[in-house]
Structures are given as C-alpha cells and as structure tokens.
C-alpha cells in the first residue's frame, strides 16, 4: 500500500480542522475530549462516553452527526428494550400471493448510531450490538444483513454507581475503540454556556463533510506510515498489561487483548493526520493509550481495595515501558 503524501495530508487536514472547530463551537471547554472523539472517528472506531447526566455527551454526538451529514438514528436504552428493537425483526407479510417473513430493519441500520444511556438496558439487549460493532453486520434467524458504510456506534453511559445501571460485559467493552470520561465544566466554561445557550434550544450547525468525503479521509488514515519502532512500542505496551510482564501489572487480573494493539495503531495513525504528519509517532501512542486501555484491563481485588483505578495503572505502565526497546548507541546519548 502506498503511504500517504504530504499534499494528501494537507488537503484532508483542512476538513478535519473544520470538523474539530465545529465541535468546539458547540461543546465548550472540552478541547481534549473533542480531539479524542475526532481521532476515534478517523480510526473507524466506536466510542463510549461516560459521565454524569447533563454534561453534554448526547449533544456532542448529535452535533457530530450534523457536521458529517450522515444517516443517524438514536436508540434510547431502557430496561424494557429488547434485542429486536435494535437489530430489527422479521414481520409476516403477503408477498406475491404468499405469506412469508420479511425482515424489517431496526435503528442499528444507519451510519452513526447513538446508543444513549447504553448501560440502562439489560445485558441481553446490550449483546445485540456485539456482532454489529465487530463485523458491521446483523444476523437474524440465520440470515445476515450488512450494515451501511461507514458505520459507527457512539454510546453514552452513566457511571455504574448510579441506580438502575448494568455494567457492560468485558466482551462488549473491548469492541469500543475508546472509553472517554466526560468531566464537569469549570466556572468560566459554565458562564460561557449560560451566556451562549438557552435551555431546550439546539445550536445551528452546518455540514462539514458528506459520506463520500469522509470515506476518502478514512481511507487516507489507513495509509499513514506506522514505523516499526512505534509498532514495537505498541506491542510492548499491550504486553505490559498482562500479569507478570511488568511491575504495574501485579495489580491487574486480566490484561488487554490483541484488539487493543490494533486499536492503538489505528488511533495513532488518526492522530498523526490530525497533526498533519505522514507518520505516527511515540507521542501519538502515548496520547491515545489511556483512552484505548482503561476499559480493557481488569484490576485485582486488592488493587481496588487500595483505591487504585484503571487510569492509575495505565499511567504506571506508560511510565514503566520505554519507547525504545534497545538503548541508544553511545554516540547518540546525551552527556
């Protein structure tokens, strides 16, 4: 595959900058969150946004859908939601004088699916998204139906400490490229929101990209060069999350899967495009690593008792694992 050229990167970056600016014009004071959401989108990944109600998670996804002019559907997850309410159901109809079952597509058949408050539905209903998120297809009664391209799931969830929530199973968490934590705003940002917004009034947003233009940008991301030394760093980071492979992993029960390594590589390429570079770097990997790894490691009981969090362990691993597996030659070492 031919690597992306500087001219191609410069052309695509204009669209990406406009997309980022459009999100920042609506979502105030969350610049790093917006950068990570755009990075996840460019990496063709699904994103899980976690935070208390009212922090703008749903508004962020709705704004993104308007900027991209993609087909968008929203699924409000509730305890009584059934798997067929997501994937669709076969309906008995009369076709050419015969009665037969015809598949009626559910709301998952769209480009951008907003799964709102995903952890308020039962685990059985949550599992309806597993095949769609991984294979980008749905199987109902033995028949497989392909989903539109591109296809993204952007899900919001409340912290599991809130009443009426179900923890997402590890298999489903692993299918999200990023888990992003949405935090509350500071006083200055709150004042800006109060001044610029009216309760119940949505901001006006003009489309930046259409589906065809977005597909071109996504294809370009795959052609961003990933140096062997960066790929090796990704492999060592993921390996260090497993018990016995690093000092930090002594507090980890289960480490990250190979899907985490692929996610790190894709996200690093996407951030390189955001920064108008033709190659991914160590810094790109370190920037996206917390968002990729925090939901893919399971802590030991003693670590939770001590108050350690997944974020703490990821930071320890990043501090412990060097970017270069071998020491620099003496001629290149600083005195």
């Amino acid at each position: 595959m031919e690597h992306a050229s500087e001219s191609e990167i410069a052309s695509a970056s204009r669209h990406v900058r406009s997309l980022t600016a459009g999100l920042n014009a609506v979502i105030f004071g969350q610049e790093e969150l917006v950068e990570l959401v755009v990075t996840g989108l460019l990496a063709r990944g699904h994103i899980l946004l976690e935070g208390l109600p009212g922090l703008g998670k749903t508004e962020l996804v709705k704004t993104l859908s308007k900027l991209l002019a993609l087909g968008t559907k929203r699924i409000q997850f509730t305890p009584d939601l059934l798997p067929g309410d997501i994937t669709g159901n076969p309906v008995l109809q009369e076709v050419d004088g015969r009665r037969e079952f015809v598949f009626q597509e559910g709301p998952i058949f769209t480009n951008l699916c907003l799964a709102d408050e995903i952890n308020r539905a039962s685990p059985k209903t949550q599992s309806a998204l597993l095949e769609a998120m991984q294979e980008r297809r749905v199987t109902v009664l033995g028949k497989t139906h392909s989903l539109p391209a591109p296809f993204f799931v952007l899900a919001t969830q409340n912290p599991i400490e809130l009443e009426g929530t179900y923890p997402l199973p590890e298999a489903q968490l692993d299918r999200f490229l990023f888990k992003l934590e949405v935090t509350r705003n500071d006083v200055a940002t709150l004042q800006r929101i109060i001044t610029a917004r009216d309760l119940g009034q949505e901001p006006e947003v003009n489309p930046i990209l259409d589906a065809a233009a977005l597909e071109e940008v996504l294809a370009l991301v795959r052609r961003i060069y990933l140096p062997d030394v960066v790929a090796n760093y990704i492999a060592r980071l993921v390996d260090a999350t497993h018990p016995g492979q690093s000092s930090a992993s002594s507090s980890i029960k289960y480490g990250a899967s190979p899907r985490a390594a692929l996610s790190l590589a894709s996200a690093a390429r996407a951030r390189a495009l955001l920064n108008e570079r033709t190659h991914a770097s160590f810094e790109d990997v370190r920037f996206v690593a917390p968002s990729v790894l925090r939901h893919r490691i399971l802590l030991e009981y003693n670590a939770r008792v001590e108050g350690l969090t997944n974020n703490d362990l990821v930071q320890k691993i990043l501090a412990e694992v060097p970017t270069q597996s071998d020491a620099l030659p003496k001629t290149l070492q600083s005195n």
Side-chain angles (χ1 to χ4, degrees):
M1 181 183 296
E2 182 182 356
H3 295 306
S5 65
E6 291 185 1
S7 60
E8 289 176 313
I9 295 294
S11 177
S13 294
R14 288 195 293 270
H15 295 302
V16 175
R17 284 196 303 270
S18 298
L19 179 61
T20 303
L23 287 171
N24 282 323
V26 175
I27 309 300
F28 300 150
Q30 298 281 5
E31 287 78 11
E32 182 173 319
L33 174 66
V34 166
E35 181 178 354
L36 284 165
V37 167
V38 174
T39 301
L41 180 82
L42 296 179
R44 293 179 183 265
H46 310 296
I47 300 173
L48 179 62
L49 300 166
E50 181 180 82
L52 292 169
L55 295 180
K57 303 184 298 297
T58 304
E59 191 63 43
L60 172 62
V61 180
K62 288 164 60 179
T63 302
L64 181 64
S65 69
K66 294 175 184 177
L67 290 169
L68 294 175
L70 294 175
T72 307
K73 292 181 181 177
R74 175 177 178 173
I75 306 173
Q76 188 65 46
F77 280 67
T78 55
D80 60 346
L81 192 71
L82 298 175
D85 297 331
I86 298 173
T87 60
N89 286 300
V91 178
L92 189 61
Q93 293 183 352
E94 187 169 329
V95 179
D96 297 330
R98 293 180 292 107
R99 296 174 67 83
E100 60 182 53
F101 284 102
V102 177
F103 178 69
Q104 297 292 328
E105 296 179 350
I108 195 68
F109 286 84
T110 187
N111 297 118
L112 196 156
C113 178
L114 168 55
D116 209 9
E117 296 188 301
I118 188 173
N119 60 337
R120 291 215 180 272
S122 67
K124 179 179 181 180
T125 300
Q126 294 171 7
S127 66
L129 289 172
L130 289 175
E131 183 184 16
M133 293 175 66
Q134 180 61 30
E135 286 87 16
R136 288 172 165 77
R137 66 188 185 191
V138 167
T139 302
V140 178
L141 293 181
K143 291 187 177 181
T144 300
H145 309 270
S146 298
L147 295 171
F151 173 72
F152 306 96
V153 172
L154 276 80
T156 70
Q157 77 167 6
N158 298 307
I160 59 173
E161 293 81 8
L162 289 187
E163 187 175 351
T165 60
Y166 299 84
L168 293 178
E170 287 76 11
Q172 183 154 7
L173 282 173
D174 197 37
R175 282 162 168 77
F176 284 102
L177 175 81
F178 286 164
K179 179 185 177 185
L180 305 180
E181 297 173 343
V182 184
T183 56
R184 68 181 184 87
N185 304 111
D186 57 24
V187 173
T189 303
L190 281 173
Q191 181 178 345
R192 186 181 175 193
I193 293 172
I194 293 167
T195 304
R197 294 281 189 274
D198 289 326
L199 186 63
Q201 181 179 2
E202 294 189 0
E204 294 185 4
V205 177
N206 296 318
I208 300 294
L209 288 170
D210 57 18
L214 177 61
E215 281 288 4
E216 291 180 4
V217 175
L218 297 178
L220 182 63
V221 171
R222 290 182 169 177
R223 294 166 51 206
I224 298 289
Y225 179 57
L226 184 74
D228 289 342
V229 289
V230 177
N232 177 260
Y233 178 51
I234 291 173
R236 287 185 290 110
L237 272 181
V238 173
D239 183 65
T241 65
H242 292 269
Q245 300 304 111
S246 64
S247 298
S249 66
S250 61
S251 299
I252 298 176
K253 186 175 183 180
Y254 298 112
S257 67
R259 189 183 285 122
L262 295 172
S263 298
L264 281 169
S266 297
R269 286 189 172 100
R271 187 170 187 264
L273 176 62
L274 246 68
N275 289 276
E276 300 186 40
R277 283 183 278 103
T278 58
H279 66 280
S281 68
F282 295 125
E283 178 54 37
D284 294 325
V285 177
R286 294 179 66 84
F287 180 79
V288 300
S291 303
V292 171
L293 297 177
R294 64 165 58 101
H295 57 295
R296 289 184 161 100
I297 58 177
L298 187 63
L299 271 59
E300 288 280 7
Y301 174 76
N302 291 338
R304 297 197 299 270
V305 170
E306 293 171 6
L308 291 175
T309 66
N310 292 41
N311 287 333
D312 296 331
L313 270 298
V314 172
Q315 292 302 325
K316 286 185 177 183
I317 290 172
L318 287 172
E320 182 177 345
V321 178
T323 54
Q324 297 275 5
S325 59
D326 299 319
L328 289 173
K330 291 183 178 180
T331 54
L332 295 179
Q333 294 179 5
S334 59
N335 295 327

